Amino acid sequence: MVEWMSADQSMTGRTRMAGRLVLVDGHAYAYRAFHAIRSLSSPQGEPTNAIFGFIKMVERLQELWKPTHLAVVWDGGLAAERVAELPGYKAQRPPMPESLGRQIEAIMEWLKASGLRSLCSTGVEADDWIATLARQLAPEIGQVLVASSDKDFMQLVGERIGLVNPSESAARIWTADEVTAKTGVKPGQVVDWLSLVGDAVDNIAGVPGIGPKRAAELLGKFGSVDGIFEGLERVETARVREILRSSQAVVRRNQRLIGLRDAGEQVAGPDLQVGARDCGALGRLYERWGFRSLLEGLKRPEWLQGDLFGKTA
């Protein structure tokens, strides 16, 4: 069994793993940074609040978890299959603020200069691509941390895959125990649990009258949605039996919407290794954006190997 490291611990003995991959939910982090810092502009008057906040958040991830591999995964649009199932899927979300949209490309420039991989594919939702990478690369790399507050990712948690939540001040990895404490179900039951409860964030309605606690109780007794519908007559309350019976098609649809699927994209583990920082490119970006503290940080001895504006290996 793999033992998870804390922020300042290393693995020991036979449980020591070769590496750690951190997968960052790009748009979620950008939005969080954008709203955390309300006003910041470059010397030219361009908005830079999301850029600065994003940089600090990713640097914090690197400081805490010391990944050998890291990728920021961006939404490439909604999955056509999900929209076909539910035309209102995520339709309630407002458009991205124009001033945030102008900063996304700049964030990608920073990632490239920082030796970090940025991934985006048209028509591929970030959640699916993150799930695909986590499942594919956990055995190869050793450990995967998904950096996101999206509850859909709880379904991925296992021996080699954990979650880190940017909304938490404490540095901790969500394992199966944390998922169960939060939801009342095991990670393998999260899709069924959300299919019963619904997910307002994604505009997915659940079963009327079935809240998180009742859904967890049902799954605790029957094990799965399949078990619930096969054993409907053993549901104690007649009202709940009838609600479930009439909502079966909705629940089955929700399972298809909520379950994270293979994105159909392939990325090799070595391609996600943390690379060398290009201090010259970073220095020019920080000057352009007016990030004086970050520019000063580049002058530390560990980053200076020759000219500040030459590439550092």
Side-chain angles (χ1 to χ4, degrees):
M1 179 177 178
V2 174
E3 297 174 8
W4 288 95
M5 294 190 227
S6 68
D8 57 357
Q9 292 175 327
S10 61
M11 307 293 285
T12 58
R14 290 176 297 175
T15 61
R16 188 177 183 87
M17 304 307 301
R20 169 176 282 164
L21 167 63
V22 171
L23 296 170
V24 180
D25 187 348
H27 278 100
Y29 264 59
Y31 267 95
R32 186 171 182 81
F34 178 77
H35 290 295
I37 303 173
R38 303 302 292 186
S39 179
L40 190 66
S41 300
S42 73
Q44 297 77 33
E46 291 294 315
T48 57
N49 55 326
I51 302 168
F52 186 79
F54 190 95
I55 291 171
K56 300 303 288 186
M57 292 169 72
V58 171
E59 286 186 341
R60 178 66 171 160
L61 281 174
Q62 291 183 280
E63 176 188 346
L64 283 174
W65 306 115
K66 299 174 174 59
T68 55
H69 302 67
L70 188 147
V72 177
V73 186
W74 303 90
D75 273 318
L78 299 181
E81 299 91 339
R82 290 192 176 99
V83 175
E85 286 256 28
L86 179 64
Y89 175 65
K90 296 186 179 181
Q92 87 288 8
R93 297 187 180 187
M96 178 183 291
E98 187 269 341
S99 60
L100 172 57
R102 287 156 57 190
Q103 297 179 70
I104 298 296
E105 186 175 344
I107 290 171
M108 292 182 178
E109 286 186 74
W110 176 81
L111 289 167
K112 182 178 180 180
S114 298
L116 305 175
R117 189 73 182 270
S118 188
L119 301 173
C120 186
S121 182
T122 301
V124 176
E125 295 188 51
D127 293 8
D128 290 325
W129 204 348
I130 287 172
T132 300
L133 291 169
R135 290 163 175 158
Q136 288 178 351
L137 297 179
E140 173 187 339
I141 293 174
Q143 296 180 328
V144 176
L145 294 181
V146 176
S148 177
S149 58
D150 190 335
K151 56 185 172 293
D152 287 349
F153 289 122
M154 291 190 292
Q155 66 190 266
L156 299 178
V157 170
E159 185 178 355
R160 295 179 184 272
I161 302 174
L163 306 180
V164 290
N165 189 337
S167 63
E168 292 184 336
S169 57
R172 67 164 175 164
I173 296 171
W174 280 54
T175 63
D177 289 342
E178 281 73 26
V179 171
T180 301
K182 175 70 174 179
T183 65
V185 300
K186 298 175 182 178
Q189 297 172 304
V190 164
V191 172
D192 285 357
W193 180 73
L194 286 172
S195 297
L196 292 166
V197 174
D199 187 351
V201 173
D202 291 346
N203 207 29
I204 300 172
V207 177
I210 302 294
K213 185 176 179 181
R214 177 62 63 86
E217 290 172 350
L218 288 166
L219 290 169
K221 180 175 181 179
F222 294 99
S224 66
V225 159
D226 288 344
I228 291 170
F229 288 124
E230 289 168 3
L232 265 182
E233 297 311 315
R234 292 190 289 120
V235 173
E236 294 177 2
T237 307
R239 182 185 67 85
V240 174
R241 280 199 303 272
E242 291 311 307
I243 289 172
L244 287 168
R245 183 175 286 113
S246 64
S247 300
Q248 184 166 356
V250 169
V251 174
R252 295 303 190 186
R253 179 206 65 189
N254 289 353
Q255 287 179 302
R256 295 189 294 271
L257 293 171
I258 293 166
L260 297 176
R261 59 188 71 182
D262 190 329
E265 304 284 342
Q266 296 291 325
V267 181
D271 292 339
L272 302 183
Q273 285 183 318
V274 174
R277 296 190 183 195
D278 184 339
C279 286
L282 287 172
R284 289 187 289 275
L285 290 174
Y286 294 160
E287 280 198 319
R288 188 176 94 202
W289 297 329
F291 294 166
R292 288 175 292 181
S293 61
L294 295 177
L295 186 59
E296 284 299 313
L298 286 176
K299 298 177 182 178
R300 295 198 307 267
E302 60 266 34
W303 293 120
L304 280 176
Q305 295 180 13
D307 180 50
L308 170 64
F309 297 101
K311 190 165 184 175
T312 300

